[in-house]
Structure formats: C-alpha cells, structure tokens
Amino acid sequence: MLVTLPALGQQTGNMLIRNATVLTITKGTQANTDVLIKDGKIAQVGKSLTAPTGYTVQDATGMFVMPGIIDAHSHQGIDAINEWTAPVTAEVAVGDAINPFDVALYRALAGGVTTIHAMHGSANAIGGQCQTLKLRYGVLEPEALRMQGAPRTIKFALGENPTRVHGGGNNIVPRTRMGVEFVMREAFSKAKAYAAAVDTYTKAKTQKGFRGAPPEYNYRLETLAEILKGNIIIHCHSYRADEIYMMLQVCKDFGIKKIVFQHVNEGFKVAPELAAYGAMASVFADWWAYKFEVYYSTAYNAAILTRNGVTTSINSDDPELMRHLYHEAGKTQKYGALSDDEALALITLNPAKQLGIDHRVGSIEVGKDADLVIFQNHPLSVYGVPQVTIVDGVVRFDRTKDADDMRLAVDPNEPVEAVELQQRDHDSCLEGLDGAFDTIFGLN
Amino acid sequence: MKKLTAFLYTSATVALALAIQPLAAQSQKSTHATYALTHASIETVTKGVIQDGTVVISQGKITAVGTSVTVPAGAEIIDCRGRWIYPGMIDANTKLGLSEVASDPRTRDFNEVGDIVPQMRALTAVNPNSVLIPVTRVSGVTTVIATPEGDLMPGTAALINLHGYTPDQMFAGFEGVVIMWPQSGRRGGFDKRTDEEIKREYDKRINKLNEAWQKAGEYHKIDSALQSKGVTYYPEMQALLPVVRGERPFIIQVDVARDILNALTWVREKKVKKVILSGVSEGWRVATEIAKANIPVIAGPVLAVPTRDYDRYDKAYANPGLLHKAGVKVALGTTDDRGNVRNLPYHAGYAAAYGLGREQALKAVTIVPAEIFGVADRLGSIEVGKNATLLISDGDPFETKTTIHQVFIDGWKIPMKSRQTELYDEFLQRTPGVTKQ
C-alpha cells in the first residue's frame, strides 16, 4: 500500500477571498476580483467565483490583496547567526538552528510577510549557509518552517564587518578590503582543486584494479565547490562600490553567475556593471549614516538600480523594519518615482527571484503558493493596515482575532517586566558578537 | 586644422558648460525675499483648511493668509495650483546635528562624561553643516530638538531650525534640561544582577538626583538673596536654576511603565514646575496617571517593536493614540540618530492609522510640540505673525507618494537639494557607463 505523507507540518488550506482589489504584480491590478485557494495553491483568479463546500470564505470588499511579502534579508526565526571563529565557515548552516517560537515571526506576519531568508551574519568573509523559511507560525516543529525545494543560499560579507572581526579582533587576514578579496580567491581556488581531486578519484575508481584513497572529505570545500557548480546562490553583504566591483571580478574569474548583493548601499554607483553581469541587489529603502561605509548613501538607490535594469528588492535585516516592508517599498515612490507595480515587486517578485523561488511565490498567479495578504487601504499608503495574512492557504494572522500575547512558549526564566529599549544602531548582521566587541573594542 | 580647432573649441565649450551647470544646480544657497504663495490649499492646522488661498511671506514672517489677500508689489509669486501648504514639521526627540556617523565616537557629540552635567549645551555642539541637515529638511521636517543623552542629567537640549550657519541663526527659542530616568527593573534576560543589586543601584541613582535637586533649590535661594551677584561659579547649578524657577522644563526620558510612575511621583514630591516626558514607549499602560498629572509627552519612536514579547504587535504604533484618548497632550519624536529624522511624517502616519487619527497626528508634529516647547507664537501653524516655516507639497506629507516641492524656514527659501539628491542626479544615468569611450 502506498501512503503519501505530506511534508512535515505542512498544513494547507482551502479558501475563497471575495471581491477584492487584487494586486497581482505580474498581471496588473484587478478590481472586484475573487481568489480561489485549493490545497494551499492559487486555483483561480477571477470574478464571481463560487466556493466549493467546506471552503472558508473571506470577504474582502473594499480591501486590497497582494502576494505575501518576501524578506530577502532577515535574522529572525533562527537561534544562531554568526559562527565567527574563522574568516571562512561555509560548512555551517543556520538551518540547523531554526526557532519556530520566535515571536518576531508572528509580528512579521502581522506586517504581511510570508517568506523570509534567514541569513547567517556578516562576521566572516565567507559565512554560513542561509535558510529560506515560510512563516508557518504556530507550528512547533522547526523543520516545518523550511521552505521545501528552495535553492541553497550562502552568506558572504565584504568591508567593515569581516575586517573588524578578523583583522581587528583576531589579528588574522582579512584586516583590509585587499585581504577580503584574497580570502575569497584563496577559498575558491582550494575548492576548485578539491572538486578536481574528487572528480579524478570518482572517474578513476571505476577503472578495474584501481587502488587509491579518495581525497579527505571536507564539507567546507564541498560547499564552496557547489557554489562553483552553480548550485548555491551567494548573498553577499556589501556596502561600497569598490568592494562590490571587486566581488563581481572574483565571480567572473571563477565562473560564478548566481550572486545577490545585500545592503549594497553604494550599488547605485556601479549599477551598470551589476546589470551587465546579471547580479541582483537587495537594499534598505533609506538606512544610512549608521557607520562610515554607509555615509555616502542615497535613498534613491533602489530607483537607480531598478532604472539601470538590476533586479532589486527591499529587505529589512531587522525585526522592526520587517513589519512594514510595504511602507519601505512605498518610499521608492518618493525617492525615484517608481510605479505601484515596480514598488510592490521590490518586496514580492524580485526577492523571490533572488532566492530562486519565483516559480512558487511572489505574484498572484494560478498554480503558485497561496501566500497572500489582505490590506485595508492600499499597501503603498502609509494608512495601509494588513488585516489577514495567509500562508499555503492557512490564515496565520487575523487582525480581528489578534490577542495580546501570541507567544507559543514562555521561557520560565524570562522576567515579566523586562524591557530592552536599546536602539539597534546598525544592521543586525553582527548579532551574536556584541559580547566579543565589548571585549575587543570596548564599543558596540 | 581649422576643423580640429573648431572641434576642440566646441568640446571645450561643452565641457565648460557641463562643469558649470551641475555646480549651479547644486547650489546650497538659500534665498530671502517677499514671497506670495498663491492658489494653494492651505492646511493651517489651527484654523482649518483654506482652499485656493494665498500665503504672503515677508521679513521671515507670515504676513497674510486667506482667499482675498493682496499680493504686495515686488513679491516673488510662487503658483501653488494643485499644491498644499503645511507648517514645517517638528521632531520633538532627535540627536540631529550632534551625531553624524552613528558608530563613530569621533562624530558623536551628545554623550558627555559625568552623571549630573546639565551645563553641557546641545545648542553650541550642533554642527550646522551636518550632511544630515539638508537630507532632513527637504522632507519637510524643519525644526528639531537636539538632545544630549547619557547618564542621569546629560545636558541641556535645544530646539533648532534646520537652516543657518551658527547656533544663533538656528536657535528656535527653547531649551530644556534632560533627565535620563533611572531604570528600576531588570533590563532583560542578560541582566544577571540580583534583585537587591538592582534596587541598590536604582536607589543610588535616585539619591544622586535628589541631591542635585536639593542643591539646586538652595542655590536658587542664595542666588535670589544675592540677586545673582557674587555667587560662586557652579555651572551645574546655574544650568538648573531656570528649571527650579519654572522658566525651563525638565525633559524626562523614560519608557517603562513603572519608571514613568516613579518619575511622576518624583516630579510631584519635588514640586518641579515644568516637566515634559519623552520616549514613553509604555505610556499607554499608565496613560490615565500621566493625564492626571497633566504632563505633556513626546511619544516615539512610533515605528518600533513592542517593549515586551507578550504585548500586542501594534502597541508602539498605537501608543500615541491611546495616550491621546486618555487625555494626554501628545507630540511625536523619532528618537533617530542615524540620519532618518526625515521619517517623522511616517511615524505620524502610522500613529494616525493605528488610532490617533490624521488630524491629531498632524497636530502632534506641528502645533502640539510648538505649544509644549512654548514657541507656539512662532511655530506650528500657518497664521499671520508666525515664522514663515512651512512646506509646499503635492499632497498629504504623511504619504510616501507625496513630493515636497519647496520648504521655507524663517522665510528663507531652502534649496531642495541634499547629498542624497545630488548622488541621484549623478548616478541615475552614470557617464561613462560600463565602457569608457
């Protein structure tokens, strides 16, 4: 007897969303339109659809429906961020430390987010592997949050962070941007040699009478070799134009095509080069001046990149910002006059492309995952308020049923009245190192 | 040869034109004249909306507002058909001018050594040439309070207009002494102090505050008796004198509910005459008590996560609305020290959408902070006699789709340029592109 088991914890729903203004992203804006969801997928988009029996009906008259928001840069939903013990740590994966209890995930849902790219930090030039998560908040198994089938991704980092941690803190290469380039080239050269040795061995061992040992297994080099083969997408923390250009040259020399630059505050200065290479960019809407390498930034970055043909997204890298990415996308209308569809693509279809999941999510199309948000008022308006957030056809946030305490578990040691009001003063990419910085530098 | 000369000549002219034009376009010089802003929708804030109206600006002041205004001879006319006029927005909690690059201690001038140092003045440490200032004012935020931060009494905050080259030119008429209210509770899971240690530390800090306040009272008596003549140099006490006499408020930075209550009790017991509460993230928990004390608040940031994991996700958005509903006078502040004071209108927009309402949110960034700082005779609304500090937009300034077309500060027409717009102009279509001819 054959039993098909659904992926662990993967609940899916059936639902009819009725009479909404549907912002499809790829097929324009459709007024007075229904969206039919079957088994967690979008089954039909059209007028006057009927709900089969057993389907929940969600009236959305006067409301807007858009695809679930995708955050291409987050550190939520994971318990470990920085394995900062070496400049290259391709062997570790944040997917081994998924935390389904993180209340930030629920708060993100309340901001319309349905998929996040949970990333390793930026302490190392080559950091660990990242994990694309679906915000199935309420499910207790860590594994159930993984977006099955999403391509592998890995964090790289340039500039102040890796040089500060390793050169400054540990007195090892890299201390400068020269060193960062060297670390990249050395790692890929070793990976290339490793892959060649594995290849030679694999071919030779089929020969009759072959006597020899395989190369010593090395998961770090194995992972880097997978990047060279195009099986892992690089997401590279970067700020300055020079280091971005350097990384493009490294990719070119090693035949690496799949690279997304993260933060990339000075991406606008090398936008033609990024576009020509096919590299993508995931930026803040307007963050700057929190450290020196972002002093020469402009909030027009996303618009300049978009106009130059670079596939661009807007990310949060922050548990607060991630709750209003639709508002962040709206800022590109002030800074560069992007159209509604262009602005919304920055937080839906474009980040989906950057994570290699655009065939699954990022627009409202038949066959795609039913990850949707229902808004009161247009999502690009400052008065837009997410009402219902749906993941795989399952309602994961409903403003009318929202209670105060949405934690799934309470740490018995957690103080009742504790409040942490420290402002975060830079991107959270160095999270987990605060203690170390106090020791090393006496500053945060 | 002739051809070549002609070519060179043409190239030189073109090169020269290219070299000069951007310079002219990037001029940061503001201008000053009599202006008539005609055919505008005017959001006065205090007296409703005037359609198809005119605002006349002369000698830095608003000299006429209305539908039947005579445009003075020689006035420069700015046609505002399809445009809106709003008062300049006031951010009531920032470090603008005191912090340039947030992570670089060399550019942070808000945090002086010492626990009771009210004599440290923000006004004279503000950098009038900060790159952050033009970035802020072109978004319609014209006036901010620059606030010291640090230990118990880290200094005296100052209200500044975002135009001018010296503190005198920027000063907007208000200073207040900052208190960072001591936290009585555990800061978080990482805070491993015992309950006794926490209490001991809190008591120690409160004692310091009490001691300073008591001394200030005595200093006031001596100073009054001697009519300010022959009093020993005592800078801390001199800075506290105006607070004791009710000429200046304490601005108490406090967030946690229990700490807010402690601060209210202290203010009552010490009979402090003028007080403003600032931050008040958990103001909503004790809103009735704040209202009863009749103390105004500067709430914010609005775009923030709730202070406690068990709180509803939108509590920070809702805080200003809940405070207002309880009867508290609420202005807004971003608390930003990373170049994004320009987002004040969006903090206001969120407060509006989550309970404060648009009308009150607008007041909370214009007339209310002007009243709280005692400068409502000069700022906060479009009225005759007030400073001509205003913005011209093509719509609701809280919306990201809206463009701010012009800003006036004290009657000066501000260039709508910042380093961020200059980078846009240079890089939207970079030349050379990928290949250099």
Side-chain angles (χ1 to χ4, degrees), chain B residues 232-243:
Chain B
T232 321
Y233 176 68
Y234 204 154
E236 295 91 321
M237 294 305 128
Q238 274 164 3
L240 286 174
L241 263 189
V243 182

Side-chain angles (χ1 to χ4, degrees), chain B residues 100-169:
Chain B
E100 193 73 11
V101 176
S103 74
D104 181 354
R106 246 49 70 197
T107 71
R108 286 198 307 242
D109 286 302
F110 53 81
N111 190 347
E112 193 43 79
V113 175
D115 48 14
I116 307 278
V117 287
Q119 73 276 24
M120 301 300 166
R121 289 181 77 200
L123 183 63
T124 43
V126 163
N127 174 11
N129 303 300
S130 165
V131 168
L132 282 60
I133 287 177
V135 168
T136 307
R137 68 189 180 198
V138 297
S139 284
V141 181
T142 56
T143 310
V144 306
I145 188 153
T147 318
E149 177 189 291
D151 218 322
L152 273 175
M153 271 193 211
T156 295
L159 191 69
I160 53 171
N161 289 313
L162 299 183
H163 172 248
Y165 297 99
T166 64
D168 292 340
Q169 291 179 358

Side-chain angles (χ1 to χ4, degrees), chain A residues 107 269 273 286 288-289 295 298-299 323 334 340 381-383 399 402 404 416 419 421 423-424, chain B residues 100 102-103 187 255-256 304 308 310 312-314 335 338-339 342-343 396 399-401 419-420 430:
Chain A
R107 290 172 175 171
K269 292 182 179 171
E273 284 77 10
D286 59 7
W288 72 299
Y295 189 48
T298 176
R323 305 170 315 141
K334 177 182 172 72
D340 285 4
S381 163
V382 80
Y383 308 112
R399 186 160 155 84
D402 180 69
D404 261 6
V416 177
V419 274
L421 296 163
Q423 264 202 45
R424 320 177 74 82
Chain B
E100 193 73 11
S103 74
R187 290 190 192 96
D255 282 294
V256 184
R308 305 180 190 194
Y310 56 82
R312 196 179 140 120
Y313 78 96
D314 62 356
T335 71
R338 289 167 291 171
R342 59 180 165 185
N343 287 341
D396 180 354
E399 288 282 20
T400 47
K401 243 181 204 159
R419 189 163 75 200
Q420 301 216 348
R430 200 190 75 191

Side-chain angles (χ1 to χ4, degrees), chain B residues 4 10 23 25 27 84 101 116 146 169 175 183 197 212 234 239-240 271 283 322 327 333 347 370 400 405:
Chain B
L4 183 64
T10 319
L23 278 178
S27 165
W84 284 80
V101 176
I116 307 278
Q169 291 179 358
E175 286 182 288
Q183 280 196 28
E197 280 168 341
Y234 204 154
L240 286 174
K271 300 189 172 67
L322 294 168
H347 287 257
T400 47
H405 287 276

